[in-house]
Amino acid sequence: MKIMPCPLNGPRNISEFTFGGEVTPLPDVASAPDSEWAEHTFYSYNGTGVAREWWYHVPSGYWFVAERHRVTDEILRTYDPSELPADALNNQQEAFQ
Amino acid sequence: MPFALLKYGLNKDYPFEQDADLPAPTSLKPHYDAVIIGGGGHGVATAYYLAKYHGITNVAVLEKGYLGGGNTARNTAVIRSNYLTSEGVKFYSESVKLFKDLSNEFDFNIMYSRRGQLTLAHTDSAIRAFRQRAEVNKHFGGKTELIGPQEIRELVPTLNMNPGHQPVLAGLWHMDGATARHDAVAWGYAKGATQRGVELHQLTEVTDVLVEASSSSSGGKVTGVKVRQGSAEHTIRCGVAVQAVSGHSTLLAEKAGFQLPIVSYPLQAMVTQPVKPFLDPLVSSPAFHCYVQQTGRGEIVFGGGSDPYPLYNSRSTLELKEQLLAHAVELFPFMANLKLMRQWTGLTDMTSDYSPIMGLSPVENYYLDAGWGTWGFKSTPICGQAMAELVATGKVPELIQPFSADRFSEFRQVNEMGATAASH
Ligand SMILES: Cc1cc2nc3c(=O)[nH]c(=O)nc-3n(C[C@H](O)[C@H](O)[C@H](O)COP(=O)(O)OP(=O)(O)OC[C@H]3O[C@@H](n4cnc5c(N)ncnc54)[C@H](O)[C@@H]3O)c2cc1C
C-alpha cells in the first residue's frame, strides 16, 4: 500500500486519506466578482509537475498539505497548514508552480 | 519469434506496421484546411464526417502514438443514454441511434450488440433518482424503466441480491444499453475518412499550437501547429484546428494559451479468463463503484470509478484495484474463483459536472472536443458529427451548445455525476 507521511499521525496507508484539491488562495469574500469564484471553484492545476494539495486524514479528522508530483506520484513534503507561506491562502498570490 | 520480438523489445522506437486497410503514410503537407489533433475515435470520427457530409478532405489527423491507442483502446465500451439531464439524454440518445447502423455504414463489423444495461439501487434515494431518470429517458424516446427485485433476479440470476449487507432494492433497466468493439469503431472511421482523402499521420505529436493576434478574439486566432515525427520537427499551417486528446486536454490547451476546467485521473478496468455465457445485460452498481459485463468471447470485463486522486500515470494505484476486485466479487461471488487476464488504465479528462466540453475555445478557429472523462466512447459518432458541422460551418450545433466551456464561468453546469459515476 502506498504510504502517506501524515504530519500529525506519521506514516499511514493512503487509503486512510482523502484528496482535497489544489491549495489555492480564497477570493476576497466581500468583493470578488463571480468570475473569480468560478475560476477558484472550477479551474485548478493539472500540469505534469509538483502540485500543492489539500489532504484529509479521515480517522483523525485532520487537514494538511502535501506536495506531490503529478506524474511519479512521489510525495515530496507534507506539513501542517500553519506552515503554509503567508501568501498561499490569500488572494494576492501567483499560481504555485 | 522470438528474435524479432527481442529486437523490438530492445529498440526504443515503436515498431510501426502499416494496416492493410489504411493508405501508407505520406509526408506532411505545409497546409491543411483542418487539422485534427488526436487520432482516437473522436478525432477520426470528426474527420470522417467532415469528408462525408461536408466534402472537406484537405484534413490531417495528427496522432502522437497509434490510431485509437488512447482511451479508445482502453474503454469498456458501454453504450447507453440513460442520463439525468435533458441536455445529456438528448445528446447521448443520438449517439446510441448512430451506433446501430455503424457496421453497415462502414461495411465493417463493429460488433454492436444490444444487451440492455441494468443499474442497481441499494437505497431509497437511489430509487427516487432512478424514477426521474426513467421519466426523462422516456420523454426523449428511450426505453428505460424502474424494475423490482423479482425482475432483476430473472434478468441476472447469478447476481448476489444482498451484497455487503446492502440489499438490491430496485434497478434502472435501460433496454437501449449496448456494447461494441471499441477498436473497430476507430478503425472504421479511419478507413472511411482516409478513403475519402483525409490524411492520418501516426507517430506525429503536436508540440505547439501557433496563435496570432486577432481583432475579433482576445485569445487570438489559430494559424497552425508544430509537430514532431521522431527527431524531425515540422510546422503546419491550418485554417481550423480541433483538439481531441482526452487525458492530455489541459496540456494542449495550455500550448494554445488557455486553461480548461479539467483534471486528469487514471481510470482502470480488468478482464477475467473466459467462462460460459451467464450474463447478458451490462450490470452496474453506483453504491459499489463497480460495473460488470460479459464479452462475446465469454470474458468478464469490470471496472469502477476513477482513481481517488489526480495522476498522469497509467500504472494507477493498487488501492483501487483491490477495492474493485472486492466489489466485483461481492456482486458476483463466483468470480472469486476466476483468474484475471489483464488489467489496464487510461487517463481520463474529468470535468466537475461529469459532462463533456465541446465547441468554441478562447482561440478563434480552435475547437474543443474534451472533458470526456470516463464516458466518451458512447458519444464518438454524435460528437464526430457535431464537431464536423462546427468545423464546416463555424457555428456550434444546437445539440452541443449546452456543453460549451464557458458554462463553468456562467454557472450553467450540466450535472451528470449521479448518472455517470460507476456506469460510464
Ligand atoms: C478504463 C476505461 C473505461 C472506460 N469505459 C467507458 C465506457 O464503458 N463507455 C464510454 O462511453 N466511455 C468509457 N471510457 C471513456 C472513453 O474511453 C473516452 O472518453 C473516449 O475514448 C475518448 O475518446 P477520444 O478519441 O477523445 O480520446 P482518445 O482515444 O484517448 O484519443 C486521444 C488521442 O490523442 C493523442 N494525443 C494526445 N496528445 C497529443 C498530442 N500532443 N499530439 C498528437 N496526439 C496526441 C493520444 O495519443 C490519443 O490517441 C472509458 C475510459 C477508460 C480509461
Side-chain angles (χ1 to χ4, degrees), chain A residues 1-2 14 19 34 38 42-44 46-48 55 68-71 73, chain B residues 250 259-264 309-313 319 352 408-409 411 413:
Chain A
M1 172 93 45
K2 188 175 174 64
I14 192 119
F19 170 72
D34 287 355
F42 301 118
Y43 290 75
S44 58
N46 194 34
T48 50
W55 283 80
R68 186 175 65 91
H69 198 285
R70 288 285 179 93
V71 178
D73 202 16
Chain B
T250 56
Q259 310 284 315
L260 283 174
I262 287 175
V263 180
S264 299
Y309 53 86
L311 193 64
Y312 280 98
N313 194 320
E319 296 68 45
S352 54
F408 294 94
S409 51
F411 302 94
Q413 288 90 317

Side-chain angles (χ1 to χ4, degrees), chain B residues 37-43 62-66 68-78 204-206 244-246 248 252 267-269 291 344-348 369 372-379 423-424:
Chain B
I37 311 168
H42 283 235
L62 309 175
E63 164 56 50
K64 76 170 175 188
Y66 57 95
N71 287 353
T72 296
R74 294 155 206 268
N75 70 77
T76 47
V78 175
T204 304
E205 179 178 6
V206 172
V245 295
S246 69
H248 295 88
L252 194 61
L267 172 68
Q268 36 185 313
Y291 62 100
W344 66 92
T345 302
L347 194 60
T348 54
D369 173 352
W372 285 109
T374 68
W375 53 86
F377 170 69
K378 70 181 68 62
S379 58
S423 308
H424 303 325

